[in-house]
Amino acid sequence: MAKPVCYSTKAFAAASATAPLAATTIERRQPTPTDVRIQIQYCGVCHSDLHFARNEWHFTQYPAVPGHEIVGKVTAVGGGVKKFKVGDTVGVGCLVDSCRTCPSCRAGFEQFCDAGMQGGTYGGTDKYFGTPTLGGYSQSIVVTEDFVLRMPANLNPAAAAPLLCAGITTYSPLKHWKVGPGQKVGIVGLGGLGHMGVKFARAFGAHVVLFTTSPSKVADGKRLGAHEVVVSTDAAQMAAQAGSFDFILDAVSAQHDLNAYFNLLKRDGNLTLVGAPAEPLPVAAFPLIMRRRSFSGSFIGGLPETQEMLDFCGQHGITCDIEMIRMDQINAAYERMLKSDVKYRFVIDMASLK
Ligand code: NAP
Ligand code: ZN
Ligand code: ZN
């Protein structure tokens, strides 16, 4: 494959697992005929960015540029681009490409591509240069139009940015497990993912119960849409919920006891894990086998479902609750995220990267 010409753009990168993120300059390709160049306005801060920057999943290559909740304006398009024009407000999520030929890709489940995460927005492999892909903590990005999303015009672009990961990661499993009216649904962890899980489960008509380790988040949980909020460190509050849930979505970023949540499911209930803690989570047999309960996982979402989710948010006026930060506040933001102290997603104002 012919190598495109490159240009330089400013970014924030981690040089090692222990180094704070710092300003740098990276190279991106000039748009090929099917590419769109995007001036990044906002980039959400996902807990995955922190796991990745610190090599907690053991596959990070450095320098690492995180960021996969990207919203910006199209500033150039290749000659063959059909869907977008200069000036459009667009989004880019966790994927910038995939093999496009495996059964999952053909079915629109690019997140489950047989080539793995080669097409990841960061930590993937650039198909032109063979180098690691670099994410959205940068001034601009170039992406094939097939992996660029239309942003609903009525949504605040900064508050919509985290829909590109936190939004689709919670929307997809709630849809897959057909969450809706008449069901009791639990959301575990009120962070970036969890607060969107609460909003979507409520929008889909379920009875929503939020589980949080933070008593200070009870009022916010209700404001965001939960009918009930359970402080999960309170054994009596947990016991009162035993055997009552159709579905539980677990969005916790660290070690915790899954078995306590299996016990809250009804017969044939399901717990789906979207949280991605670095360490294994022990699963006891009895909480699962006794009521034919099931345990599954879910991973972001494919391009068609991500567009569907964005359009749903446009129709229902759903966005994320965000705290805007400057690019140079990212290391402090990571420390706050580790303390579960974010309401409920940091978003970087990329104009601050000068
Ligand atoms: P986040 O904003 O940091 O939220 C995580 C929440 O988990 C915290 O706010 C806290 O909620 C709870 N929590 C943290 N430590 C805990 C502990 N030790 N025990 C119990 N609860 C704890 O993170 P996020 O961005 O939402 O991401 C959550 C996880 O999902 C991360 O591991 C991330 O990598 C992963 N993720 C997965 C996918 C996927 O496709 N599956 C996509 C994106 C992210 P409370 O204060 O309410 O307890
Ligand atoms: Zn993410
Ligand atoms: Zn594929």
Side-chain angles (χ1 to χ4, degrees):
M1 196 179 296
K3 288 198 193 315
V5 178
C6 288
Y7 71 95
S8 300
T9 191
K10 289 190 177 138
F12 249 58
S16 76
T18 51
L21 275 71
T24 187
T25 300
I26 59 170
E27 299 282 298
R28 303 239 191 238
R29 66 178 182 270
Q30 293 284 7
T32 70
T34 54
D35 282 337
V36 169
R37 178 164 158 177
I38 300 160
Q39 180 80 31
I40 300 175
Q41 294 171 296
Y42 303 105
C43 185
V45 179
C46 180
H47 205 114
S48 299
D49 298 354
L50 188 160
H51 291 306
F52 174 75
R54 299 184 178 180
N55 198 21
E56 294 176 4
W57 294 327
H58 309 294
F59 67 78
T60 308
Q61 290 179 270
Y62 295 94
V65 178
H68 59 202
E69 295 181 336
I70 298 166
V71 168
K73 289 245 187 250
V74 174
T75 53
V77 293
V81 168
K82 296 190 178 64
K83 291 192 328 201
F84 301 101
K85 59 181 191 317
V86 170
D88 286 352
T89 299
V90 295
V92 177
C94 305
L95 298 169
V96 289
D97 214 334
S98 73
C99 88
R100 304 177 188 225
T101 57
C102 76
S104 292
C105 284
R106 286 206 304 267
F109 297 117
E110 296 89 349
Q111 75 274 36
F112 304 127
C113 177
D114 285 353
M117 278 302 279
Q118 294 282 315
T121 301
Y122 57 76
T125 305
D126 185 290
K127 77 173 173 192
Y128 295 96
F129 300 106
T131 50
T133 51
L134 303 171
Y137 295 3
S138 60
Q139 288 179 322
S140 68
I141 192 166
V142 176
V143 182
T144 172
E145 69 164 332
D146 295 338
F147 284 71
V148 176
L149 296 140
R150 290 183 311 275
M151 298 305 292
N154 60 320
L155 299 183
N156 173 324
L163 297 174
L164 276 312
C165 175
I168 184 60
T169 301
T170 49
Y171 179 95
S172 182
L174 292 170
K175 278 277 173 181
H176 179 77
W177 289 92
K178 301 187 169 50
V179 161
Q183 291 184 343
K184 187 172 174 187
V185 170
I187 306 291
V188 188
L190 194 65
L193 268 56
H195 94 289
M196 293 315 299
V198 168
K199 290 189 187 198
F200 285 132
R202 180 71 189 242
F204 296 166
H207 180 85
V208 184
V209 182
L210 168 71
F211 293 90
T212 179
T213 59
S214 308
S216 61
K217 295 182 184 173
V218 171
D220 274 353
K222 291 196 175 145
R223 177 180 59 78
L224 293 164
H227 296 92
E228 301 174 55
V229 180
V230 172
V231 177
S232 55
T233 49
D234 181 328
Q237 286 190 40
M238 289 294 277
Q241 301 284 342
S244 67
F245 283 83
D246 298 282
F247 179 78
I248 297 176
L249 186 68
D250 183 328
V252 173
S253 52
Q255 273 283 0
H256 61 292
D257 181 18
L258 288 173
N259 305 296
Y261 292 97
F262 295 145
N263 282 323
L264 305 188
L265 293 169
K266 289 179 183 166
R267 170 172 51 80
D268 290 323
N270 171 271
L271 185 147
T272 291
L273 180 68
V274 286
E279 303 304 326
L281 301 171
V283 170
F286 279 86
L288 284 178
I289 65 180
M290 288 307 287
R291 294 197 192 184
R292 200 165 54 195
R293 294 159 171 144
S294 65
F295 174 39
S296 34
S298 188
F299 183 54
I300 51 176
L303 272 292
E305 195 176 38
T306 304
Q307 190 64 61
E308 174 193 308
M309 177 272 312
L310 289 170
D311 295 344
F312 179 88
C313 289
Q315 282 151 20
H316 295 265
I318 295 175
T319 52
C320 309
D321 287 39
I322 64 164
E323 277 190 57
M324 195 88 87
I325 59 167
R326 295 190 314 271
M327 186 71 257
D328 63 8
Q329 293 175 304
I330 187 66
N331 296 300
Y334 279 6
E335 292 313 312
R336 279 187 54 198
M337 189 153 65
L338 280 176
K339 293 186 201 131
S340 305
D341 174 25
V342 46
K343 291 187 164 80
Y344 280 88
R345 193 59 133 190
F346 292 115
V347 170
I348 304 160
D349 176 1
M350 213 47 79
S352 67
L353 177 56
K354 296 235 171 60

